[in-house]
C-alpha cells in the first residue's frame, strides 16, 4: 500500500474515474460528455442534456420523445406525499422539505433492482419528473394554497414555472429557465455529487442517493451560496457601498458569496452565460436593482482577489435570473437541485457499473491505550456554565 499526503478537502485527489463531464479550471472550459457547455446552452434543452449525461449520448428524435413522454406522465405526486408535506412547518427551508420528500419516494417505490435497466430507467424518470413538482408544491402549500397540478401541455421548464407562479410563463422566461437548468445539470465530482456517489456505493436505493445529495447541496459553501448572494447584495444596498463592504469582509476574513472555486481559477463559464441570460431578461422585463451592485462587486473582487484566482462562480449571477423569473430567494437552491438531479443520477449509474464501496482511510490523531476511568473519579472536560447555556438554548 502507498501512503499519500493528507489533503484537507481532498484537494487534487482523484476519487473516481468518470466520462460524464470535464472541467478545465485554468481555461474556463466545461463539457458534458465532451460537448461544450456554451453549445449545449445554445442548442440543447434540459431533458435532452439529462439524457446525454445519464445515457452517455445524445438521443435520437424518437428516444427523446419517449423520454419526454415518460417524464410528463410521472410528474404528479402521490397524495400521501402531499399529505406528508402538509405537516412540514411553513418556516422550514425548502431544501429540507425537498430532502425529506426525495427520501420519502423510497417508501413508495421500495423495490430495489440495481442490475435491472428497467428499474434504473424508472427511477431516473420518477426523480426527474417529481422533484420540480415537490419544489413547487411546497412553495404553494407553505402559503396555505393547494398545489397546482402539472400541466400536460407544457414542457418541463414551462410546467415548473406554471406550477410555481400559477400561470403560464412567458416564452422567453421559460426558455431562459431551461438554459439555467442545463447549465446546472452536472459539474464533475463536486461535494453533492461525491455525496451521491458515496451513498450509491453502498448499493442503497436511488431516492436515498438523491436525498443525501440534496442535503449536501444545501450548504452555503456549495449550492446554498446562490441564496446567500442575494442576501449579500441586499446588505450592500448600493453601488457606493461595494468597496467598503468588500474591505470589511476581507478584514474579517469572511468569504464573498458567489466567488471562488476549487477548480476554476478564472470566471466560471456558467457565470458568463448566466450574466448574459440576466441581461436578456432585463431587456424584456426591466433591470434588477441589484445588478449594478453585482457588476461593481465583480470588478472590485477582481482587483483585490484576482491574483488568487477568485472570480464569480455559477452561484453569483443565477439568483438575479431567478428573481426576474419570479422565483423566491429560498427556492434558488432547490432549483439548483432540480437541475443537478441529472448529474447525480448519471454518477449513480456510472458508480453502479463499476462499484466498489467508498471506504477511504484516515490519519488518527487521538490517544491510544487509554485507561477506562470509573465515573466517580472523572473530571469534566467541559465548562459547566457553557453546558448550562447550551441546555438553556
Ligand atoms: C458551487 O465544486 C463544484 O463544482 C461546485 C459547483 C457545482 O457546480 O457543483 O461549482 C457549485 O458550489 C459553487 C461554489 C459556491 N460557493 C460560494 O460561492 C461560497 C464562497 N466561496 C468559497 O467559500 C470557496 O471559494 C469555495 C468553497 C467555493 C472553494 O473553497 P476552497 O477550494 O476550499 O478554497 P479555500 O476556501 O481554501 O480558499 C482558498 C483561498 C483562501 O485564501 P488564503 O487563505 O489561501 O489566502 O482563497 C480565498 C481563501 O480565503 N477565497 C476567498 C473566497 N474563496 C476563496 N476569499 C474571499 N471570498 C471568497 N469567496
Amino acid at each position: 500500500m502507498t501512503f499519500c499526503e493528507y489533503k484537507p478537502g481532498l484537494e487534487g485527489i482523484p476519487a473516481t474515474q468518470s466520462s460524464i463531464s470535464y472541467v478545465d479550471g485554468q481555461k474556463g472550459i466545461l463539457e458534458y460528455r465532451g460537448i461544450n457547455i456554451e453549445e449545449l446552452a445554445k442548442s440543447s434543452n434540459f431533458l435532452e442534456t439529462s439524457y446525454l449525461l445519464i445515457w452517455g449520448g445524445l438521443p435520437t428524435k424518437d428516444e427523446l420523445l419517449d423520454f419526454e413522454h415518460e417524464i410528463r406522465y410521472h410528474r404528479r405526486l402521490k397524495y400521501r406525499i402531499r399529505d406528508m408535506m402538509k405537516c412540514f412547518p411553513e418556516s422550514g427551508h425548502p431544501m429540507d422539505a425537498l430532502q425529506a420528500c426525495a427520501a420519502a419516494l423510497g417508501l413508495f417505490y421500495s423495490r430495489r433492482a440495481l442490475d435491472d435497466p428497467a428499474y434504473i430507467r424508472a427511477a431516473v424518470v420518477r426523480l426527474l419528473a417529481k422533484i420540480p413538482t415537490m419544489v413547487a408544491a411546497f412553495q404553494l402549500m407553505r402559503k396555505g394554497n393547494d398545489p397546482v397540478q402539472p400541466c400536460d401541455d407544457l414542457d418541463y421548464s414551462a410546467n415548473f414555472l406554471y406550477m410555481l407562479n400559477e400561470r403560464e410563463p412567458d416564452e422567453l422566461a421559460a426558455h431562459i429557465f431551461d438554459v439555467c437548468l442545463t447549465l446546472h445539470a452536472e459539474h464533475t465530482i463536486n461535494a453533492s455529487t461525491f455525496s451521491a456517489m458515496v451513498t450509491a456505493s453502498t448499493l442503497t436505493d436511488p431516492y436515498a442517493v438523491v436525498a443525501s445529495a440534496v442535503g449536501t447541496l444545501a450548504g452555503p459553501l456549495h449550492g446554498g451560496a446562490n441564496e446567500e448572494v442575494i442576501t449579500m447584495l441586499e446588505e450592500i444596498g448600493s453601488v457606493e457601498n461595494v468597496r467598503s463592504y468588500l474591505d470589511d469582509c476581507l478584514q474579517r476574513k469572511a468569504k464573498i458569496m458567489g466567488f471562488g472555486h476549487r477548480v476554476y481559477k478564472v470566471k466560471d463559464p456558467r457565470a458568463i452565460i448566466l450574466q448574459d441570460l440576466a441581461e436578456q431578461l432585463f431587456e424584456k422585463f426591466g433591470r434588477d436593482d441589484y445588478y449594478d451592485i453585482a457588476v461593481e462587486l465583480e470588478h472590485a473582487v477582481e482587483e483585490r482577489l484576482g491574483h488568487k484566482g477568485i472570480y464569480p462562480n455559477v452561484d453569483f449571477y443565477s439568483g438575479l435570473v431567478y428573481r426576474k423569473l419570479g422565483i423566491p430567494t429560498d427556492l434558488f437552491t432547490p432549483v439548483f437541485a432540480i437541475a443537478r438531479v441529472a448529474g447525480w443520477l448519471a454518477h449513480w449509474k456510472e458508480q453502479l457499473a463499476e462499484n466498489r464501496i467508498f471506504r477511504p482511510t484516515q490519519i488518527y490523531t487521538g490517544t491510544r491505550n487509554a485507561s477506562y476511568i470509573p465515573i466517580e473519579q472523572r473530571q469534566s472536560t467541559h465548562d459547566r456554565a457553557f453546558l448550562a447555556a447550551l441546555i438553556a438554548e
Side-chain angles (χ1 to χ4, degrees):
M1 172 181 281
T2 43
F3 290 90
C4 316
E5 188 195 344
Y6 163 59
K7 292 278 200 144
L10 300 183
E11 179 168 4
I13 310 229
T16 190
Q17 299 192 96
S18 177
S19 60
I20 300 170
S21 63
Y22 168 82
V23 172
D24 183 329
Q26 302 297 332
K27 294 190 182 141
I29 293 171
L30 168 61
E31 293 170 358
Y32 295 168
R33 300 281 185 190
I35 307 177
N36 197 287
I37 192 68
E38 280 91 11
E39 205 176 334
L40 289 167
K42 198 165 73 185
S43 309
S44 186
N45 61 49
F46 175 65
L47 284 188
E48 184 185 62
T49 296
S50 301
Y51 190 104
L52 167 74
L53 289 167
I54 296 166
W55 277 284
L58 286 168
T60 62
K61 207 171 178 183
D62 286 346
E63 284 167 342
L64 184 58
L65 279 174
D66 286 348
F67 188 50
E68 283 170 351
H69 177 75
E70 283 171 67
I71 286 182
R72 219 172 271 246
Y73 182 76
H74 284 280
R75 282 168 177 171
R76 282 181 171 67
L77 299 179
K78 296 231 181 247
Y79 79 87
R80 284 181 177 176
I81 297 252
R82 295 203 304 268
D83 283 357
M84 179 185 89
M85 291 171 84
K86 280 186 196 151
C87 303
F88 292 171
E90 311 85 73
S91 57
H93 197 284
M95 279 300 268
D96 292 325
L98 181 59
Q99 188 181 21
C101 290
L105 285 180
L107 291 162
F108 293 94
Y109 307 103
S110 55
R111 175 178 167 257
R112 193 186 304 156
L114 300 176
D115 50 2
D116 176 358
Y119 172 87
I120 304 260
R121 172 94 175 193
V124 164
V125 165
R126 269 188 211 119
L127 280 157
L128 279 168
K130 293 184 193 302
I131 289 225
T133 316
M134 289 168 175
V135 174
F138 182 68
Q139 169 62 10
L140 292 200
M141 287 163 92
R142 70 177 168 170
K143 291 196 293 186
N145 299 336
D146 280 333
V148 170
Q149 288 298 327
C151 172
D152 287 345
D153 296 336
L154 295 176
D155 70 18
Y156 192 84
S157 293
N159 174 59
F160 173 70
L161 293 175
Y162 162 77
M163 291 188 298
L164 190 69
N165 296 325
E166 302 178 81
R167 59 170 186 277
E168 274 196 36
D170 169 86
E171 215 174 300
L172 175 73
H175 168 70
I176 285 183
F177 181 69
D178 194 78
V179 178
C180 290
L181 295 185
T182 301
L183 295 176
H184 285 82
E186 157 66 6
H187 209 243
T188 72
I189 188 168
N190 57 84
S192 56
T193 300
F194 188 39
S195 177
M197 289 163 62
V198 172
T199 309
S201 80
T202 69
L203 301 183
T204 186
D205 68 71
Y207 310 105
V209 168
V210 168
S212 75
V214 170
T216 309
L217 184 72
L221 292 186
H222 191 13
N226 55 12
E227 183 180 334
E228 304 281 333
V229 167
I230 297 299
T231 312
M232 174 182 73
L233 296 175
E234 225 164 57
E235 257 173 58
I236 297 175
S238 73
V239 171
E240 294 69 45
N241 293 342
V242 163
R243 276 154 209 278
S244 56
Y245 179 91
L246 180 60
D247 286 345
D248 180 55
C249 283
L250 295 180
Q251 209 175 5
R252 290 186 289 112
K253 296 196 179 314
K255 293 280 159 53
I256 324 296
M257 287 293 140
F259 285 87
H261 199 277
R262 176 65 63 78
V263 186
Y264 291 119
K265 298 304 160 204
V266 294
K267 188 168 175 177
D268 187 324
R270 300 166 297 176
I272 297 171
I273 304 174
L274 284 160
Q275 185 174 7
D276 179 59
L277 295 177
E279 285 175 2
Q280 286 181 41
L281 282 173
F282 300 157
E283 212 166 283
K284 180 154 187 189
F285 302 108
R287 212 170 164 82
D288 186 301
D289 293 345
Y290 293 158
Y291 185 59
D292 292 337
I293 303 176
V295 171
E296 182 65 10
L297 184 61
E298 180 179 347
H299 292 321
V301 170
E302 184 173 354
E303 280 165 27
R304 303 290 301 273
L305 299 172
H307 66 283
K308 283 192 189 179
I310 294 169
Y311 288 91
N313 60 48
V314 68
D315 289 326
F316 190 58
Y317 285 109
S318 60
L320 293 174
V321 175
Y322 298 152
R323 267 162 67 89
K324 238 1 233 195
L325 296 174
I327 299 173
T329 309
D330 65 357
L331 289 193
F332 293 177
T333 319
V335 163
F336 191 154
I338 289 174
R340 189 52 62 85
V341 169
W344 294 331
L345 291 171
H347 285 272
W348 168 59
K349 204 165 152 284
E350 189 175 67
Q351 182 66 36
L352 292 181
E354 241 171 283
N355 189 53
R356 191 165 184 215
I357 191 167
F358 275 98
R359 203 326 182 172
T361 191
Q362 62 166 15
I363 294 169
Y364 179 63
T365 60
T367 49
R368 295 216 40 227
N369 297 319
S371 309
Y372 178 83
I373 303 168
I375 198 161
E376 307 75 36
Q377 294 170 24
R378 290 177 210 162
Q379 295 205 329
S380 175
T381 47
H382 295 287
D383 176 341
R384 293 187 72 80
F386 172 70
L387 281 182
L390 263 188
I391 292 164
E393 209 172 73

